[in-house]
Amino acid sequence: MKKGMVLLLMLVLVMGAAAQDKKLEAVTAAAEKLRIAMIDADSATLSSLADEQLSYGHSGGAVENKKEFVAKITSGRSDFVTIAITSQTVSVAGNTAIIRHHLEAATNDSGKPGTVKLQVMQVWYKAKGKWKLLARQAVKAS
């Protein structure tokens, strides 16, 4: 009886770890889709990944909602030529995930070339089988 309980417990733990790994992979994939959509100024993908209640905080203090975030990217006012993500960590608790990373980008905001180095935190949640960006905050990196 004890041996059976131990085996059952081990099976439950292994299955739980596998489910956690799948969540990590899925939210990481969603964040990568967001990175590419920001470079491509892909309105449909940006809209599908951003939650209706999005709070998108910039390093300069501005905060945008979903509509403002998508419009700024697709209009070229915020134009990412490249975005490189490094030092990324992902933690998942239930259907919520926190992603932190270092972002370096070449920009062409409103036709003016530039670069940006940021530390970013994103909050994602899973609803109806899809990961949605709920909040993002950036600070300037040194």
Side-chain angles (χ1 to χ4, degrees):
M1 182 77 168
K2 283 185 181 181
K3 191 175 185 180
M5 291 297 281
V6 169
L7 288 174
L8 180 61
L9 179 59
M10 288 176 62
L11 179 61
V12 168
L13 290 173
V14 168
M15 289 175 62
Q20 187 74 357
D21 287 346
K22 286 185 179 184
K23 285 182 179 181
L24 285 169
E25 289 174 15
V27 73
T28 300
E32 177 61 9
K33 284 182 186 176
L34 178 67
R35 184 188 74 81
I36 293 167
M38 289 174 70
I39 294 168
D40 294 344
D42 180 343
S43 178
T45 301
L46 292 170
S47 292
S48 73
L49 291 170
D51 184 71
E52 292 303 320
Q53 301 297 314
L54 177 66
S55 177
Y56 191 92
H58 292 271
S59 61
V63 177
E64 298 167 342
N65 62 28
K66 177 181 176 174
K67 183 178 177 182
E68 294 164 331
F69 160 69
V70 172
K72 192 169 184 182
I73 297 286
T74 58
S75 71
R77 287 180 292 148
S78 182
D79 182 3
F80 288 96
V81 179
T82 63
I83 300 174
I85 303 293
T86 57
S87 303
Q88 182 162 283
T89 61
V90 182
S91 61
V92 176
N95 288 330
T96 305
I98 297 173
I99 298 178
R100 291 181 178 273
H101 57 246
H102 182 80
L103 177 151
E104 289 192 36
T107 60
N108 194 30
D109 297 350
S110 298
K112 182 180 175 186
T115 59
V116 64
K117 293 181 183 182
L118 304 170
Q119 291 295 123
V120 176
M121 181 182 72
Q122 299 174 341
V123 179
W124 294 78
Y125 79 98
K126 189 174 183 181
K128 298 179 184 175
K130 295 184 181 184
W131 286 98
K132 296 280 193 170
L133 180 64
L134 179 62
R136 182 257 198 192
Q137 185 60 57
V139 295
K140 291 182 178 151
S142 49

